[in-house]
Each structure stands twice: as structure tokens, then as C-alpha cells.
Amino acid sequence: PGFPVVVFLSLAPFERNGLKLFHVRDLDYDMSEGAEEVRPALAAASDGALAAATAAAAAADGEVDIDLSKDITAALDTIGLADDAPVASTSKMRYVDPTPEEAKYLLDFLRSALTEGSGEAVVELGVGEGEKSGLSPEHMAASLATLRKLAAECEADVSPVRVRQEEQGEAGDFLVRRRSDGDDFIEVRVAVVGNVDAGKSTLLGVLTHCELDNGRGKCRTKLFRHKHEADTGRTSCVSHNILGFDSTGTIVNGPTHDGSLDWTDICTRSAKVITFIDLAGHEKYLKTTVFGLTGHAPQFAMLMIGSNMGVVGMTREHLGLTLALNVPVFIVVTKIDICPPNVLEETITLLQKILKSPGCRKMPLLVSSEDDVIVTAANFVSDRLCPIFQVSNVTGAGLPLLRMFLNLLNPRTALNSDAPAEFQIDETYTVPGVGTVVSGTCLAGTVRVNDNLLLGPDSTGQFIPMQIKGIHRRRMPVTAVRGGQTASFALKKIKRSAIRKGMVLIAPALQPRATWEFDGDILILHHPTTITCKYQAMVHCGAIRQTASIVHMERDQLRTGDKTIARFRFVKNPEYLREGTRLVFREGRTKAVGVVVRTHPPPEKEKSDK
């Protein structure tokens, strides 16, 4: 409702009683919903008109004018698609003083945009089709008032993103975001990767604590989880940090009196939460970094590069991993306050050359204004665009543009709440007074407190019933979690030693089965010699991290750059795999990427025997 509908009628002439008649033979209805209603209605109208026309022609024994329009119009009326239905205007004046019908269509459009954007949308005022852009101040104020009124009906707020001068006046982009109801907020996960000493933890400390660094690592000490990290200044584990925005786009992070962040307070006041997954940059922690990129299911990746060091060390490695896992990446060049201009220019030039190379095929864009931020945020989901930010954690240069980009960044994963529940486990804990707690990502469906799911597979490939005792999202208790969100579950009557990373909590309706073997379509990125059958390496697939061996290949041997379908067999435990999941095959300096194309669960009899 509210959108123009295009109906194509294929008319086939044929002879009936000496008269050439036209009959509706086929129908192409240009909308995904409602086609099954339109076809029978139009077919019935056409058949009825044809029968009446045939009878009239036989009685008149001559030419008869036949008009199907009334029958077709009546058929469209019965399903609410009458020809005289008002159509939503595309004029730049559509928000100035809309009629009740136009207001209804604009409201339907806004609700649809909010649903598609997971609770937020950017609306452009002062721009229409086929006319010069710009509105007078009075008309812009009236349009904004109408938009705020419509947003209020959707329980959303409006905040200006950019107002610009056009040929005939003002035009602007406005962010419409639903208000948070306390425990249901928009979640965006961003993995932070880059070479060691690129300034990853420092930038996260500056963003999340809303204060500048002193140039000697003051902000990064607030994020370290272990004493050896504070001593060496190097992150060695996967850590999470959050940045909250309210419905008007204002940052709500505020340190308490002891300098720490109250996650519960931030999530309660936020309508959108950016979760930064801080990963290790040192080469000896590559296994941890790969697990963070695969197991924690980031929607975006932020690649950090020190402007004074350039593209060195693990930078290319991490960029290759994000490309292999199909994670959209944006780049932040840090330390521009201490970098000589010629060195900064060389770093940017080399970076652009790498991004444009055949292996990356990205379109780099240096972000230097709010206009660039709007363009990159709106088109970032295309996977081709790669924005490049230049910031300084000491002077604060470039940070406002980066914060604006993060505010507009829209999650790519749709909330598939109606499917059977599926939750992958990436961490396990033992909490005093609570018991065993698992954390991970809900891949599909909705999980509620006291739901009964299946936990597995164990070492024998079995799944056991498990009840959810409690749910937390970002340290805040909630009653449910939906697909695409991360959460922690408290489980009943099970020890932590019985759970491992890579297990799943899944709805019994899916009837899950564990598998020892699977087929993968793999591409060898690098290997010093050749790969043959019985070759073993570490497989990263979602939250699964286990050694597997190749038991069969379509080719006798593989070298760098080769592609084939190979059958793998897990060495230690069976796993639950989904077809279409991306995998990384790694052993030392050998790396391969691929996709799971087929699983081979054992027959039911064999499984019961085991």
C-alpha cells in the first residue's frame, strides 16, 4: 500500500465465432507480496468478460465492441488495487503540507524504511524527481515539522545529519531512529584489526571514554584485561568495548567516578550500540585474531594503519582475511600528528594502490568532509567502497567524522526472528552464584528465558536438552534475544568442562546432526610446497576451531592459487556445520579460504551405535 504498482497484461488475439478477441493469458505482477491474490482475480474477470462477449457475438451475429476495463477494474477493486488510488508524490514539496492520503503514504514509507534499516533510516528533504533541489526556509521548516510528526507516530526521533544550500534553497539529510525501550537496541559489531603498534586499543579508548590520549598510551590502559598486556602494551586476547548513541545521535558514554564505563547504563540509554571487537595485532596471536573474525561474527572491520609505519607486518594479512570472509572494511590511518607530510602521502598512495589491485578490487575514498561521510555510510554495504579516515588520538583531528560515520553505520544482518532458534557459542564462563554461562551470537530465531533448546554436539555427536536460565546483552539482563544479536546465557545443571567453543544451542525442530566430514570449495592463498591427501591444518569455520585432515580431493595435489573441492574430516570431535558457511584453512604460513558446500553426517544407525 502506498507504492505504485505495475501490472503487465499479455493479450493474445484469437478467433471465436468469426470475431477477433483478446484474452488475458498471462500476468506479471511487480511485487513479491500479493501476486497469488491478483492472478486469480484478474483471470476470473477475464474469463467472465470473455464468456459474456462470446454470447453477445453469437446473438448479434456480427461485430461487437467488447470492453474489459470494467471487469478488470472491479477485480482490482476487490484486492485494493483500484486504478484511481492516489499515488505517493515524489515532489520535493511532498512533506510541506500533505493531504491526509499523502500523509498516510508518507507514514507507510517511513515505517517500511525503518523496518528495512533495522530501526533507523536517513530521509532527504528538499529533493524531488525531475526538478531543481532546494526549499525556502519556511517550506523546509514545514517539511521538518511533518517529518517529526510522522516519526513520533513511529516512536522515533529526528536529528539533522547535514543541511546544504542548493540552487533553489535548502536541502538536508535527517536521521530517523526509533527510541530504545530499555533492552532492545540496534547492535553493530565492528572488528578492529591492524598491525601491532598501529594504535587500535588507543583509538578505542579515545572513542569509548570520550577523551583524548596523552601520546603515551593513557587511554589504552583502560581497556587491557591482563597484567602482561599493560606491561607490554600489546593486546593478546579478544576484548569487547561499546559506544552508545541515543535516538538523536548523541553519544551516551560517560565514565563513572573511577573512570570505568557502566555498560548497563549505556545500553539502557542507547538506541544504537557499536560493539568494537578489539583483536591482537602481533603475529604470534594470529590464531586469536582469526577466531575473532570468524567466531564473533563481525558485520564490519576497521583496519588500523599507523601513518608513520605504513602498510607493514600483519596489515596485509588482516586485510586478506577480511576480504576472504567477505566482511566490509573501512580504514583508519592514525598518528597523523607526528607523521611528516611526505611519509603520510606515501602511505596513502600505497594504500590506494593495494585497494585498487586485482586482489582487493575496492574503491578507496578519502573522507575529508561530512558530504563524504554521508555518501560512504549510505553505500558502504556494496562491499566495493572503502572509506579511508585520517585521525589523531592526541589532537582529535578527524575524530568527529569517524564518530559521525559510526553513528550512520547500519547493520547488514536482518533480524530473522521467525525462524527456529540457532545460537553459536564462542566463549564459556563460570560465574559464582550463577553457574555456567556461555556467550555467542544468535544466528536466527528468538531465544527467551526458560526456553528449552538442544546443546551439542558433544564428543560422541549427541545433542542434550538444555534450559535457558537467564539472558544478558552487554551485561544487561533481558528477556529475549533475536537473530543477529549477541548475548550471554546462563545454563542449568551443566559443568563448564562439558561445553567447548563451536557448540551450538539449537531448536529441536531443526533436528540437528553432527558431522565428522564435510566438503569445502577451497582456494589456496599461499603454500610453500604442495598439498596432498592426509594433509592436516586448523579449520576456522564460524566459532569452530579444530584440526581437520583432507581425505579426498578432485586433484592430486594443490599449490598456491589452485582451487578445488576437498573433503575434510575433523580429527578430535564432530561438529555442527551449515552449508554456505565461510571457512579459513590455516597451518603455519599456509592459508586457504573457502565455503562449506556439503556436510556428511553419519547414518542414524551408525550414530546410535556410537
Short mmCIF file of all heavy atoms in Angstrom, two decimals, residues 379-428:
data_model
loop_
_atom_site.label_atom_id
_atom_site.label_comp_id
_atom_site.label_asym_id
_atom_site.label_seq_id
_atom_site.Cartn_x
_atom_site.Cartn_y
_atom_site.Cartn_z
N ASN A 379 26.44 3.97 1.05
CA ASN A 379 26.83 2.99 0.02
C ASN A 379 27.83 1.97 0.53
O ASN A 379 28.39 1.21 -0.27
CB ASN A 379 27.44 3.72 -1.18
CG ASN A 379 26.46 4.67 -1.83
OD1 ASN A 379 25.58 4.28 -2.58
ND2 ASN A 379 26.61 5.96 -1.54
N PHE A 380 28.05 1.91 1.85
CA PHE A 380 29.09 1.04 2.37
C PHE A 380 28.71 -0.44 2.25
O PHE A 380 29.59 -1.30 2.20
CB PHE A 380 29.37 1.40 3.84
CG PHE A 380 30.61 0.76 4.38
CD1 PHE A 380 31.78 0.71 3.62
CD2 PHE A 380 30.63 0.19 5.63
CE1 PHE A 380 32.93 0.13 4.11
CE2 PHE A 380 31.78 -0.39 6.14
CZ PHE A 380 32.93 -0.42 5.38
N VAL A 381 27.42 -0.75 2.21
CA VAL A 381 27.01 -2.15 2.14
C VAL A 381 27.27 -2.76 0.78
O VAL A 381 27.07 -3.96 0.59
CB VAL A 381 25.51 -2.28 2.49
CG1 VAL A 381 25.25 -1.93 3.93
CG2 VAL A 381 24.66 -1.41 1.57
N SER A 382 27.74 -1.98 -0.17
CA SER A 382 28.00 -2.51 -1.51
C SER A 382 29.24 -3.39 -1.57
O SER A 382 29.49 -4.05 -2.56
CB SER A 382 28.17 -1.36 -2.50
OG SER A 382 29.34 -0.62 -2.21
N ASP A 383 30.07 -3.39 -0.50
CA ASP A 383 31.29 -4.19 -0.41
C ASP A 383 32.41 -3.71 -1.34
O ASP A 383 33.51 -4.23 -1.27
CB ASP A 383 31.03 -5.68 -0.70
CG ASP A 383 30.14 -6.32 0.34
OD1 ASP A 383 30.05 -5.76 1.44
OD2 ASP A 383 29.53 -7.36 0.05
N ARG A 384 32.14 -2.74 -2.19
CA ARG A 384 33.18 -2.23 -3.08
C ARG A 384 33.81 -0.96 -2.55
O ARG A 384 35.00 -0.72 -2.72
CB ARG A 384 32.58 -1.96 -4.47
CG ARG A 384 32.23 -3.19 -5.26
CD ARG A 384 33.44 -4.00 -5.68
NE ARG A 384 34.43 -3.20 -6.39
CZ ARG A 384 34.37 -2.92 -7.68
NH1 ARG A 384 33.36 -3.36 -8.40
NH2 ARG A 384 35.31 -2.20 -8.25
N LEU A 385 33.03 -0.13 -1.89
CA LEU A 385 33.52 1.15 -1.39
C LEU A 385 34.36 0.93 -0.14
O LEU A 385 33.98 0.15 0.74
CB LEU A 385 32.35 2.09 -1.09
CG LEU A 385 32.68 3.56 -0.84
CD1 LEU A 385 33.27 4.18 -2.09
CD2 LEU A 385 31.43 4.30 -0.41
N CYS A 386 35.48 1.62 -0.04
CA CYS A 386 36.36 1.51 1.13
C CYS A 386 36.76 2.90 1.59
O CYS A 386 37.70 3.50 1.04
CB CYS A 386 37.60 0.68 0.79
SG CYS A 386 38.70 0.41 2.20
N PRO A 387 36.05 3.48 2.56
CA PRO A 387 36.42 4.81 3.06
C PRO A 387 37.72 4.78 3.86
O PRO A 387 38.02 3.80 4.55
CB PRO A 387 35.23 5.20 3.94
CG PRO A 387 34.59 3.92 4.30
CD PRO A 387 34.84 2.95 3.19
N ILE A 388 38.48 5.86 3.76
CA ILE A 388 39.75 5.99 4.48
C ILE A 388 39.67 7.25 5.35
O ILE A 388 39.48 8.35 4.83
CB ILE A 388 40.94 6.09 3.51
CG1 ILE A 388 41.00 4.85 2.61
CG2 ILE A 388 42.24 6.25 4.28
CD1 ILE A 388 42.09 4.92 1.54
N PHE A 389 39.80 7.08 6.67
CA PHE A 389 39.79 8.18 7.61
C PHE A 389 41.21 8.45 8.09
O PHE A 389 42.01 7.53 8.26
CB PHE A 389 38.89 7.86 8.82
CG PHE A 389 37.44 7.68 8.47
CD1 PHE A 389 36.96 6.43 8.07
CD2 PHE A 389 36.55 8.73 8.55
CE1 PHE A 389 35.62 6.25 7.75
CE2 PHE A 389 35.21 8.56 8.23
CZ PHE A 389 34.76 7.32 7.83
N GLN A 390 41.52 9.71 8.35
CA GLN A 390 42.81 10.10 8.90
C GLN A 390 42.56 10.80 10.23
O GLN A 390 41.89 11.84 10.28
CB GLN A 390 43.54 11.05 7.94
CG GLN A 390 43.77 10.46 6.55
CD GLN A 390 44.39 11.46 5.59
OE1 GLN A 390 45.51 11.93 5.80
NE2 GLN A 390 43.66 11.79 4.54
N VAL A 391 43.08 10.21 11.33
CA VAL A 391 42.78 10.72 12.65
C VAL A 391 44.04 10.84 13.49
O VAL A 391 45.08 10.27 13.17
CB VAL A 391 41.78 9.78 13.39
CG1 VAL A 391 40.50 9.60 12.60
CG2 VAL A 391 42.41 8.43 13.69
N SER A 392 43.91 11.60 14.55
CA SER A 392 44.95 11.72 15.57
C SER A 392 44.29 11.57 16.93
O SER A 392 43.34 12.29 17.26
CB SER A 392 45.66 13.08 15.48
OG SER A 392 46.49 13.28 16.62
N ASN A 393 44.78 10.63 17.73
CA ASN A 393 44.21 10.39 19.05
C ASN A 393 44.67 11.44 20.07
O ASN A 393 44.12 11.51 21.17
CB ASN A 393 44.61 9.00 19.56
CG ASN A 393 44.03 7.89 18.71
OD1 ASN A 393 42.89 7.98 18.26
ND2 ASN A 393 44.82 6.85 18.47
N VAL A 394 45.66 12.24 19.72
CA VAL A 394 46.19 13.25 20.64
C VAL A 394 45.55 14.61 20.39
O VAL A 394 45.08 15.27 21.33
CB VAL A 394 47.73 13.35 20.51
CG1 VAL A 394 48.28 14.46 21.40
CG2 VAL A 394 48.37 12.01 20.86
N THR A 395 45.49 15.03 19.14
CA THR A 395 44.89 16.33 18.82
C THR A 395 43.39 16.24 18.55
O THR A 395 42.70 17.26 18.59
CB THR A 395 45.58 16.94 17.58
OG1 THR A 395 45.33 16.11 16.44
CG2 THR A 395 47.09 17.03 17.81
N GLY A 396 42.88 15.05 18.24
CA GLY A 396 41.46 14.88 17.94
C GLY A 396 41.10 15.14 16.49
O GLY A 396 39.91 15.14 16.15
N ALA A 397 42.09 15.36 15.64
CA ALA A 397 41.81 15.63 14.22
C ALA A 397 41.17 14.41 13.57
O ALA A 397 41.65 13.28 13.71
CB ALA A 397 43.10 16.00 13.49
N GLY A 398 40.10 14.63 12.84
CA GLY A 398 39.42 13.56 12.11
C GLY A 398 38.47 12.71 12.93
O GLY A 398 37.69 11.93 12.37
N LEU A 399 38.47 12.84 14.25
CA LEU A 399 37.60 12.01 15.09
C LEU A 399 36.12 12.35 14.92
O LEU A 399 35.28 11.43 14.94
CB LEU A 399 38.01 12.14 16.56
CG LEU A 399 39.34 11.47 16.95
CD1 LEU A 399 39.66 11.73 18.41
CD2 LEU A 399 39.28 9.98 16.68
N PRO A 400 35.72 13.65 14.77
CA PRO A 400 34.28 13.91 14.55
C PRO A 400 33.71 13.22 13.32
O PRO A 400 32.58 12.73 13.35
CB PRO A 400 34.23 15.45 14.42
CG PRO A 400 35.42 15.94 15.18
CD PRO A 400 36.48 14.90 14.95
N LEU A 401 34.47 13.16 12.22
CA LEU A 401 33.99 12.48 11.03
C LEU A 401 33.86 10.98 11.26
O LEU A 401 32.90 10.34 10.80
CB LEU A 401 34.92 12.75 9.85
CG LEU A 401 35.02 14.20 9.37
CD1 LEU A 401 36.02 14.30 8.22
CD2 LEU A 401 33.66 14.71 8.93
N LEU A 402 34.80 10.40 12.01
CA LEU A 402 34.73 8.97 12.31
C LEU A 402 33.53 8.66 13.19
O LEU A 402 32.82 7.67 12.98
CB LEU A 402 36.03 8.51 12.97
CG LEU A 402 36.12 7.03 13.33
CD1 LEU A 402 35.94 6.16 12.09
CD2 LEU A 402 37.46 6.71 14.02
N ARG A 403 33.27 9.50 14.19
CA ARG A 403 32.10 9.29 15.06
C ARG A 403 30.80 9.43 14.25
O ARG A 403 29.85 8.68 14.46
CB ARG A 403 32.12 10.30 16.21
CG ARG A 403 33.21 10.08 17.24
CD ARG A 403 32.97 10.92 18.47
NE ARG A 403 34.02 10.77 19.46
CZ ARG A 403 35.01 11.63 19.65
NH1 ARG A 403 35.08 12.75 18.90
NH2 ARG A 403 35.93 11.42 20.57
N MET A 404 30.77 10.38 13.35
CA MET A 404 29.57 10.56 12.51
C MET A 404 29.35 9.33 11.63
O MET A 404 28.21 8.87 11.46
CB MET A 404 29.75 11.82 11.65
CG MET A 404 28.59 12.13 10.73
SD MET A 404 28.92 13.62 9.76
CE MET A 404 27.45 13.67 8.74
N PHE A 405 30.42 8.78 11.10
CA PHE A 405 30.31 7.58 10.27
C PHE A 405 29.79 6.40 11.09
O PHE A 405 28.93 5.64 10.63
CB PHE A 405 31.67 7.26 9.66
CG PHE A 405 31.71 6.00 8.82
CD1 PHE A 405 31.16 5.98 7.55
CD2 PHE A 405 32.29 4.84 9.31
CE1 PHE A 405 31.19 4.83 6.78
CE2 PHE A 405 32.32 3.70 8.55
CZ PHE A 405 31.77 3.69 7.28
N LEU A 406 30.31 6.22 12.30
CA LEU A 406 29.85 5.13 13.15
C LEU A 406 28.39 5.30 13.53
O LEU A 406 27.64 4.33 13.66
CB LEU A 406 30.72 5.05 14.40
CG LEU A 406 32.19 4.65 14.18
CD1 LEU A 406 32.99 4.80 15.46
CD2 LEU A 406 32.28 3.22 13.67
N ASN A 407 27.95 6.55 13.72
CA ASN A 407 26.55 6.82 14.05
C ASN A 407 25.62 6.42 12.91
O ASN A 407 24.51 5.93 13.13
CB ASN A 407 26.38 8.30 14.39
CG ASN A 407 24.95 8.65 14.75
OD1 ASN A 407 24.25 7.87 15.37
ND2 ASN A 407 24.52 9.83 14.34
N LEU A 408 26.07 6.60 11.66
CA LEU A 408 25.24 6.30 10.49
C LEU A 408 25.41 4.87 10.00
O LEU A 408 24.67 4.43 9.12
CB LEU A 408 25.57 7.26 9.35
CG LEU A 408 25.30 8.75 9.60
CD1 LEU A 408 25.75 9.58 8.42
CD2 LEU A 408 23.83 8.99 9.91
N LEU A 409 26.39 4.14 10.53
CA LEU A 409 26.67 2.78 10.07
C LEU A 409 25.48 1.88 10.38
O LEU A 409 25.03 1.78 11.52
CB LEU A 409 27.93 2.25 10.75
CG LEU A 409 28.71 1.14 10.05
CD1 LEU A 409 29.11 1.55 8.65
CD2 LEU A 409 29.93 0.77 10.87
N ASN A 410 24.97 1.21 9.35
CA ASN A 410 23.76 0.41 9.50
C ASN A 410 24.11 -1.07 9.49
O ASN A 410 24.89 -1.52 8.66
CB ASN A 410 22.78 0.72 8.36
CG ASN A 410 21.37 0.27 8.69
OD1 ASN A 410 21.03 -0.88 8.50
ND2 ASN A 410 20.56 1.18 9.19
N PRO A 411 23.55 -1.86 10.41
CA PRO A 411 23.87 -3.29 10.44
C PRO A 411 23.40 -3.99 9.18
O PRO A 411 22.33 -3.70 8.64
CB PRO A 411 23.11 -3.80 11.68
CG PRO A 411 22.02 -2.80 11.90
CD PRO A 411 22.57 -1.48 11.45
N ARG A 412 24.22 -4.94 8.70
CA ARG A 412 23.89 -5.64 7.46
C ARG A 412 22.97 -6.83 7.68
O ARG A 412 22.23 -7.20 6.80
CB ARG A 412 25.18 -6.15 6.79
CG ARG A 412 26.17 -5.07 6.45
CD ARG A 412 27.16 -5.56 5.43
NE ARG A 412 27.72 -6.85 5.78
CZ ARG A 412 28.28 -7.67 4.90
NH1 ARG A 412 28.32 -7.34 3.65
NH2 ARG A 412 28.79 -8.82 5.28
N THR A 413 23.02 -7.44 8.85
CA THR A 413 22.26 -8.66 9.07
C THR A 413 20.82 -8.33 9.45
O THR A 413 20.57 -7.51 10.31
CB THR A 413 22.89 -9.51 10.19
OG1 THR A 413 23.05 -8.69 11.36
CG2 THR A 413 24.25 -10.02 9.76
N ALA A 414 19.88 -8.97 8.77
CA ALA A 414 18.47 -8.78 9.10
C ALA A 414 18.09 -9.64 10.30
O ALA A 414 18.65 -10.72 10.52
CB ALA A 414 17.61 -9.16 7.90
N LEU A 415 17.17 -9.13 11.10
CA LEU A 415 16.73 -9.85 12.28
C LEU A 415 15.72 -10.92 11.85
O LEU A 415 14.54 -10.65 11.67
CB LEU A 415 16.10 -8.89 13.29
CG LEU A 415 17.03 -7.79 13.81
CD1 LEU A 415 16.29 -6.91 14.79
CD2 LEU A 415 18.25 -8.39 14.47
N ASN A 416 16.21 -12.14 11.67
CA ASN A 416 15.36 -13.25 11.25
C ASN A 416 14.74 -13.88 12.51
O ASN A 416 15.21 -14.89 13.01
CB ASN A 416 16.18 -14.27 10.47
CG ASN A 416 15.31 -15.32 9.83
OD1 ASN A 416 14.09 -15.22 9.84
ND2 ASN A 416 15.94 -16.33 9.26
N SER A 417 13.67 -13.25 13.00
CA SER A 417 13.12 -13.62 14.30
C SER A 417 12.14 -14.78 14.22
O SER A 417 11.83 -15.38 15.25
CB SER A 417 12.43 -12.42 14.94
OG SER A 417 13.31 -11.32 15.02
N ASP A 418 11.63 -15.10 13.05
CA ASP A 418 10.58 -16.12 12.94
C ASP A 418 11.14 -17.52 12.70
O ASP A 418 10.40 -18.50 12.84
CB ASP A 418 9.62 -15.75 11.80
CG ASP A 418 8.94 -14.42 12.04
OD1 ASP A 418 8.72 -14.09 13.22
OD2 ASP A 418 8.65 -13.70 11.06
N ALA A 419 12.39 -17.64 12.32
CA ALA A 419 12.97 -18.95 12.04
C ALA A 419 13.23 -19.70 13.35
O ALA A 419 13.25 -19.10 14.43
CB ALA A 419 14.27 -18.80 11.24
N PRO A 420 13.46 -21.01 13.30
CA PRO A 420 13.85 -21.74 14.51
C PRO A 420 15.16 -21.20 15.09
O PRO A 420 16.06 -20.79 14.35
CB PRO A 420 14.02 -23.19 14.01
CG PRO A 420 13.18 -23.26 12.79
CD PRO A 420 13.25 -21.90 12.15
N ALA A 421 15.26 -21.20 16.40
CA ALA A 421 16.39 -20.57 17.07
C ALA A 421 17.69 -21.34 16.82
O ALA A 421 17.71 -22.57 16.77
CB ALA A 421 16.12 -20.49 18.57
N GLU A 422 18.77 -20.57 16.63
CA GLU A 422 20.11 -21.14 16.47
C GLU A 422 21.13 -20.17 17.06
O GLU A 422 21.16 -19.00 16.67
CB GLU A 422 20.41 -21.41 14.99
CG GLU A 422 21.74 -22.09 14.77
CD GLU A 422 21.98 -22.44 13.31
OE1 GLU A 422 21.02 -22.39 12.53
OE2 GLU A 422 23.14 -22.74 12.96
N PHE A 423 21.94 -20.64 17.99
CA PHE A 423 22.88 -19.80 18.73
C PHE A 423 24.23 -20.50 18.75
O PHE A 423 24.34 -21.65 19.19
CB PHE A 423 22.35 -19.59 20.16
CG PHE A 423 23.20 -18.71 21.03
CD1 PHE A 423 23.01 -17.33 21.04
CD2 PHE A 423 24.18 -19.23 21.84
CE1 PHE A 423 23.78 -16.51 21.84
CE2 PHE A 423 24.96 -18.43 22.64
CZ PHE A 423 24.76 -17.06 22.64
N GLN A 424 25.29 -19.79 18.27
CA GLN A 424 26.62 -20.38 18.27
C GLN A 424 27.41 -19.86 19.48
O GLN A 424 27.34 -18.68 19.82
CB GLN A 424 27.37 -20.09 16.98
CG GLN A 424 27.82 -18.65 16.79
CD GLN A 424 28.70 -18.47 15.57
OE1 GLN A 424 28.75 -19.34 14.70
NE2 GLN A 424 29.39 -17.35 15.49
N ILE A 425 28.15 -20.74 20.14
CA ILE A 425 28.88 -20.43 21.37
C ILE A 425 30.33 -20.11 21.02
O ILE A 425 31.00 -20.90 20.36
CB ILE A 425 28.80 -21.61 22.35
CG1 ILE A 425 27.33 -21.86 22.75
CG2 ILE A 425 29.65 -21.36 23.59
CD1 ILE A 425 27.13 -23.12 23.58
N ASP A 426 30.81 -18.94 21.49
CA ASP A 426 32.21 -18.58 21.25
C ASP A 426 33.00 -18.37 22.53
O ASP A 426 34.22 -18.21 22.48
CB ASP A 426 32.32 -17.34 20.35
CG ASP A 426 31.56 -16.15 20.89
OD1 ASP A 426 31.70 -15.84 22.07
OD2 ASP A 426 30.83 -15.51 20.10
N GLU A 427 32.35 -18.33 23.70
CA GLU A 427 33.06 -18.20 24.98
C GLU A 427 32.27 -18.93 26.06
O GLU A 427 31.02 -19.02 25.99
CB GLU A 427 33.22 -16.72 25.39
CG GLU A 427 34.21 -15.93 24.54
CD GLU A 427 35.65 -16.32 24.77
OE1 GLU A 427 35.92 -17.05 25.75
OE2 GLU A 427 36.51 -15.91 23.98
N THR A 428 32.98 -19.46 27.06
CA THR A 428 32.34 -20.10 28.22
C THR A 428 32.91 -19.51 29.50
O THR A 428 34.10 -19.14 29.55
CB THR A 428 32.56 -21.62 28.20
OG1 THR A 428 33.97 -21.89 28.27
CG2 THR A 428 32.00 -22.24 26.93
#
